[in-house]
Amino acid sequence: MSNFIVKKVAVLGAGVMGAQIAAHCVNAKVPVVLFDLPAKEGPKNGIVQRAIENLKKLNPAPLGNKDDAALIEVANYEDNLDVLKGCDLIIEAIAERMDWKHDLYKKVAPHIAPNAIFASNTSGLSITALSEGFDAELKARFCGVHFFNPPRYMHLVELIPTATTRPEILDQLEGFLSSTLGKGVVRAKDTPNFVANRVGVFGMLATIAEAEKFGLSCDVVDDLTGKKLGRASSGTFRTADVVGLDTLGHVIKTMQDFLPNDPFAPIYKTPEVLAKLVAAGALGQKSGAGFYKKVGKDILRIDAATGQYVAGGAKAEDIVVRILKEKDPVKRMKALRESTNNQAQFLWAIFRDSFHYVAVHLESIADNARDVDFAIRWGFGWNLGPFESWQAAGWQQIATWVKEDIDAGKALCNAPLPAWVFDGRTGVHAADGSWSPAKKANVGRSDLAVYQRQAFRASVLGEGSADGRTGGTTIHEDDSVRIWHQGDEVLILSLKTKMHVIGPGVIDGLAKAVAEAEKNYKGLVIWNADAAEGGAFSAGADLQSMLPLFMSGGVKAIEPEVSRLQQAHQALKYANVPVVAAVAGLALGGGCELMMHAAKRVAALESYIGLVEVGVGLVPGGGGLKEAAVRAAADAKGTDILQFLKGYFTNAAMANVSKSALEAQQMGYLSASDTIVFNAYELLHVAKVEARAMFDAGYRPPRKAKVPVAGRYGMATIMSQLVNMRDGGFISAHDFKLGSMIAEIVSGGEVEAGSLVDEQWLLDLERKAFMELLNHPKTQERIMGMMQTGKPVRN
């Protein structure tokens, strides 16, 4: 085994992408230096310093913890090129000008360390052309590494070699990108715009062309091509606004300049409406206007015919919505093709165009069909890639329909589908791999060591690989939970409820899992099968399941269930084998409490954690405030507890939710010893490793010690702040009541400061407050409002 460890990264170019790539390296605890030109006025590193300051203001936030901006080292090309000698990876991310890049390369090449990897973040320029002028040794260490914007959140990174790039360089870089930075890597061929932008931007151009043909406005198109189609909620035109219309125009121009003989070349023409908007400085979201413009509270859309902004908000027609709700993809596609509705015909047309395009270009742009599907899913937010959609809808039938449209002149060009499309196949993805026209065979998955850390890798439809819902050996399964293992020494509990909410079935499942783990395993991991696909860890208590109890027995009928939840969480905390919570996505309310009671937490970077019960007029009732008091006491180490308690109180009283796992550590929901994982596909592996290591190190549960509390003094101090907020009109009377109750619980109630109480005392305070609030009409209003609209009621 040989390790490839990136000790330091240099990013050349402090523009939008360069600065955010540097920020994500810092998120991953990778030392990074950010370069740019020396400033003409003021401090020489002023350009970089301003870029770093701007990182703190961006939304979505590039930094998991804004304070980490200070960790980015600043440099300029005039004074600091010697710093490059200490960098293992250098990423160039300046403007998309070949001549500018070549000028910079001449300047930096003599300073690059002998074993360093040099890469360009170009979004579409030829990597081979960029490497011209390098000596043979540097050429062998040069490649493209194309991050998608914003780099922290977009899973895709394209890795593009030249003919002279050493294979081991690519393997090393793929391991670093995948595990350390948490990315999904697709290897692309060195063709204009590579894979994702080539196919994705063609799809946008085709959509604009077909929308014009069928007379559809941009708001209707976005409603049709967003979530209803299993794609990014921003649809087509709003996505263009977010990307930037000038940026989109640049990608289109690359296709125009370098693909003049492409059979689809006529469609690469810059749409007239796009050209006019760019000329007018309407560049999308960053300029305040593009295809859409916000005026007051209204969102206006561009009228392509007049060039004026008009009222927006038009939606898909009901008949089309009904077609798109059809679960059988074969029936759904047939209905779209055969419908006389122009919106349905438009949807068939854009599907046909994408199928036609990827079939014609697969061999030239990618090694196999899987890489195309992953590139579009990870780079453009589609649930299914174009080849997956085609295969799901019936390969040969779709192929026949596409051919009929080509022959009838309905397609965007008359290029025939490749012969392999009609060789009797049922698709391009199968158990033995995905189709590669160049190899005339299916190609299996990469066997790099980094992927052994992914228990259930991202898969493509038709591959037939096991996933976390069905893989392994099941010990127990019902509607709420699955308890299972992978043939080793760690038991796994997966929640099956919607958003993994916690109701009676999950509480029962927790007890079963702990008992089984204590009897036969080294540890228990709580992990959900959709952890890497944006699922929640747990959105909290299942309020819906409480309704029948409330209707039949009133508030008193619910108290035993609250007590059962508290005791289930205590059983996790004091289990005789380590319980590790593998957290990704939302961990709110009861989900946050569940996580807090584990012996350890392994959290994906994109974890959004908080005690949010005040939003429904309640206080945390599952031990979250008890844990806040316990943790504050431990943090205080015998000093003034109140100083450590204030943060926990504020976060619960204001329903603050972390914007990352790094911020959750600052807030106290994750501890400094908890592990943060950047690739959510590695979450289960790391959690199991942690559980085994804790057991093998002689794990014993914590002692049930008494807890020193802040008492009346803490309550009074916090209450004085609440009074000021209420009297100043910052919080409502009911918010004041909720805050007062939280203050009482975390302070330990009406006892002297420094008094020792047991955990059950704090749990009883929680439960008493929870039950009192359930009877309160204002709380009942909030609960009903949340259940009916999904939005908090402010009363």
Side-chain angles (χ1 to χ4, degrees):
M1 172 182 164
S2 62
N3 289 336
F4 172 71
I5 299 172
V6 175
K7 302 183 190 72
K8 190 169 189 177
V9 172
V11 179
L12 310 181
V16 173
M17 282 300 289
Q20 292 197 61
I21 291 169
H24 194 57
C25 288
V26 163
N27 288 337
K29 294 184 167 58
V30 178
V32 64
V33 54
L34 182 59
F35 278 83
D36 212 300
L37 295 165
K40 291 176 181 174
E41 296 177 359
K44 261 199 169 175
N45 290 319
I47 293 172
V48 177
Q49 287 165 341
R50 283 192 295 276
I52 292 171
E53 278 304 305
N54 193 49
L55 288 171
K56 300 176 190 176
K57 302 170 191 170
L58 290 178
N59 188 26
L63 290 157
N65 175 0
K66 286 182 181 179
D67 295 343
D68 286 348
L71 300 176
I72 300 174
E73 189 180 336
V74 299
N76 67 78
Y77 303 127
E78 196 172 285
D79 299 334
N80 309 116
L81 289 177
D82 59 313
V83 175
L84 293 174
K85 286 187 170 65
C87 298
D88 311 285
L89 172 61
I90 297 160
I91 301 171
E92 170 269 306
I94 69 168
E96 294 287 84
R97 283 269 303 265
M98 185 79 73
D99 55 340
W100 291 359
K101 289 179 189 283
H102 277 149
D103 285 347
L104 178 61
Y105 294 176
K106 284 174 193 166
K107 193 178 292 183
V108 301
H111 302 274
I112 296 173
N115 294 314
I117 297 174
F118 189 26
S120 174
N121 182 58
T122 177
S123 59
L125 296 178
S126 166
I127 305 301
T128 302
L130 285 172
S131 71
E132 288 170 5
F134 291 161
D135 61 36
E137 220 287 313
L138 185 54
K139 265 189 180 180
R141 293 183 281 120
F142 183 74
C143 63
V145 55
H146 179 212
F147 288 82
F148 272 63
N149 190 20
R152 170 183 159 187
Y153 301 93
M154 296 302 288
H155 192 56
L156 178 64
V157 171
E158 291 174 315
L159 197 53
I160 312 102
T162 70
T164 55
T165 306
R166 287 208 310 267
E168 63 268 28
I169 292 292
L170 298 170
D171 292 349
Q172 291 170 338
L173 200 46
E174 184 162 351
F176 170 74
L177 292 166
S178 181
S179 194
T180 304
L181 297 189
K183 298 303 167 190
V185 176
V186 166
R187 296 205 186 185
K189 293 187 178 181
D190 188 14
T191 54
N193 290 337
F194 314 128
V195 179
N197 276 341
R198 176 76 174 272
V199 175
V201 172
F202 163 78
M204 294 175 80
L205 290 169
T207 300
I208 293 169
E210 299 291 3
E212 188 177 343
K213 176 180 169 183
F214 287 99
L216 302 180
S217 59
C218 59
D219 48 356
V220 170
V221 169
D222 280 352
D223 191 48
L224 286 167
T225 60
K227 282 190 174 177
K228 290 183 175 68
L229 224 54
R231 299 181 182 178
S233 58
S234 51
T236 301
F237 291 95
R238 197 174 298 282
T239 295
D241 274 358
V242 171
V243 168
L245 303 193
D246 53 341
T247 303
L248 178 61
H250 176 82
V251 177
I252 294 169
K253 188 170 188 313
T254 301
M255 296 166 90
Q256 293 166 358
D257 291 348
F258 295 103
L259 295 166
N261 300 319
D262 188 314
F264 290 86
I267 204 68
Y268 301 156
K269 181 177 180 289
T270 306
E272 189 178 345
V273 62
L274 178 66
K276 285 181 177 176
L277 286 168
V278 172
L283 306 180
Q285 190 170 279
K286 60 189 171 188
S287 67
F291 287 109
Y292 295 94
K293 181 180 182 180
K294 189 172 184 182
V295 178
K297 292 184 179 179
D298 298 323
I299 305 292
L300 307 182
R301 65 159 178 91
I302 196 74
D303 182 332
T306 65
Q308 301 300 309
Y309 286 97
V310 297
K315 302 284 186 185
E317 292 181 22
D318 288 345
I319 187 171
V320 181
V321 173
R322 286 199 296 275
I323 292 173
L324 293 177
K325 284 182 177 176
E326 167 59 57
K327 290 186 176 161
D328 183 338
V330 175
K331 292 178 181 176
R332 186 166 62 243
M333 198 69 77
K334 185 173 187 287
L336 289 175
R337 188 172 191 271
E338 293 179 353
S339 173
T340 57
N341 181 282
N342 72 328
Q343 292 185 8
Q345 290 175 339
F346 158 78
L347 288 174
W348 159 251
I350 64 171
F351 274 118
R352 175 203 64 220
D353 296 341
S354 71
F355 298 156
H356 188 188
Y357 193 80
V358 294
V360 167
H361 287 298
L362 172 58
E363 184 168 359
S364 66
I365 65 172
D367 177 62
N368 60 75
R370 179 179 53 249
D371 286 344
V372 172
D373 280 342
F374 278 151
I376 294 301
R377 277 167 47 179
W378 295 341
F380 281 79
W382 295 18
N383 289 347
L384 290 178
F387 283 119
E388 291 176 289
S389 296
W390 183 348
Q391 184 163 332
W395 184 271
Q396 289 300 333
Q397 179 61 79
I398 295 293
T400 301
W401 287 340
V402 174
K403 183 179 183 303
E404 286 174 5
D405 279 11
I406 295 168
D407 293 344
K410 294 179 180 178
L412 293 176
C413 80
N414 60 6
L417 290 170
W420 58 262
V421 169
F422 297 101
D423 64 5
R425 66 180 55 247
T426 56
V428 289
H429 303 305
D432 63 342
S434 296
W435 177 248
S436 170
K439 295 183 175 73
K440 295 183 171 52
N442 283 353
V443 174
R445 303 297 294 271
S446 167
D447 59 1
L448 289 177
V450 67
Y451 295 115
Q452 293 170 18
R453 297 169 58 83
Q454 299 184 9
F456 300 102
R457 292 171 70 172
S459 62
V460 283
L461 187 143
E463 190 176 60
S465 56
D467 65 18
R469 293 168 184 83
T470 57
T473 302
T474 301
I475 301 289
H476 166 83
E477 187 166 13
D478 55 35
D479 290 341
S480 298
V481 300
R482 178 178 177 233
I483 301 170
W484 58 289
H485 63 82
Q486 292 180 288
D488 55 19
E489 303 161 313
V490 178
L491 192 64
I492 304 164
L493 170 69
S494 298
L495 310 191
K496 292 174 57 183
T497 51
K498 185 178 181 182
M499 297 288 285
H500 307 135
V501 292
I502 301 166
V506 170
I507 294 172
D508 291 340
L510 288 168
K512 284 188 177 77
V514 168
E516 178 65 25
E518 287 184 332
K519 187 176 177 183
N520 293 313
Y521 295 86
K522 285 188 172 183
L524 172 65
V525 167
I526 303 172
W527 173 86
N528 296 322
D530 57 359
E533 275 87 44
F537 174 73
S538 172
D542 183 1
L543 294 176
Q544 203 79 38
S545 71
M546 287 188 181
L547 268 183
L549 278 173
F550 184 74
M551 299 303 287
S552 61
V555 169
K556 283 185 180 177
I558 292 172
E559 186 163 8
E561 286 303 307
V562 178
S563 181
R564 254 182 14 110
L565 176 64
Q566 290 182 339
Q567 296 316 310
H569 286 165
Q570 289 293 91
L572 290 182
K573 180 173 182 177
Y574 293 105
N576 289 302
V577 292
V579 177
V580 177
V583 181
L586 298 175
L588 303 178
C592 177
E593 292 175 310
L594 173 65
M595 173 205 85
M596 290 173 79
H597 283 82
K600 181 157 189 158
R601 288 140 295 277
V602 173
L605 175 68
E606 301 310 330
S607 295
Y608 312 110
I609 301 169
L611 296 171
V612 297
E613 284 83 353
V614 296
V616 287
L618 292 167
V619 296
L625 297 179
K626 177 266 297 180
E627 278 301 296
V630 170
R631 291 181 183 198
D635 294 342
K637 295 183 176 68
T639 61
D640 183 10
I641 296 169
L642 185 59
Q643 297 310 310
F644 297 90
L645 198 59
K646 283 179 179 175
Y648 290 107
F649 164 79
T650 301
N651 288 328
M654 303 298 290
N656 291 335
V657 176
S658 74
K659 296 180 182 69
S660 70
L662 294 167
E663 188 177 17
Q665 277 183 322
Q666 278 189 311
M667 294 167 72
Y669 290 131
L670 295 177
S671 67
S673 61
D674 288 333
T675 302
I676 296 176
V677 173
F678 277 66
N679 195 321
Y681 287 102
E682 296 185 358
L683 200 58
L684 179 58
H685 166 79
V686 176
K688 287 172 64 179
V689 167
E690 295 280 10
R692 272 195 299 270
M694 291 168 76
F695 182 92
D696 290 345
Y699 177 79
R700 298 291 299 170
R703 292 177 179 169
K704 294 185 178 180
K706 298 238 175 180
V707 184
V709 293
R712 294 188 192 92
Y713 161 70
M715 283 171 58
T717 306
I718 294 171
M719 289 288 291
S720 65
Q721 295 172 349
L722 285 172
V723 169
N724 290 338
M725 291 177 74
R726 181 196 61 193
D727 293 350
F730 297 105
I731 58 174
S732 69
H734 198 52
D735 288 327
F736 176 78
K737 181 176 181 64
L738 292 164
S740 302
M741 287 179 154
I742 292 171
E744 180 182 4
I745 297 161
V746 296
S747 299
E750 289 284 351
V751 295
E752 293 300 317
S755 294
L756 296 175
V757 302
D758 59 22
E759 288 186 42
Q760 190 58 51
W761 170 270
L762 296 165
L763 288 171
D764 290 345
L765 288 175
E766 266 192 30
R767 196 173 64 259
K768 178 188 169 197
F770 188 91
M771 303 315 300
E772 181 185 329
L773 286 166
L774 268 184
N775 260 328
H776 200 291
K778 293 280 189 186
T779 287
Q780 291 172 6
E781 278 177 30
R782 289 193 185 189
I783 292 172
M784 292 310 295
M786 179 64 75
M787 289 172 67
Q788 289 167 2
T789 69
K791 295 177 181 177
V793 173
R794 288 286 163 234
N795 58 3

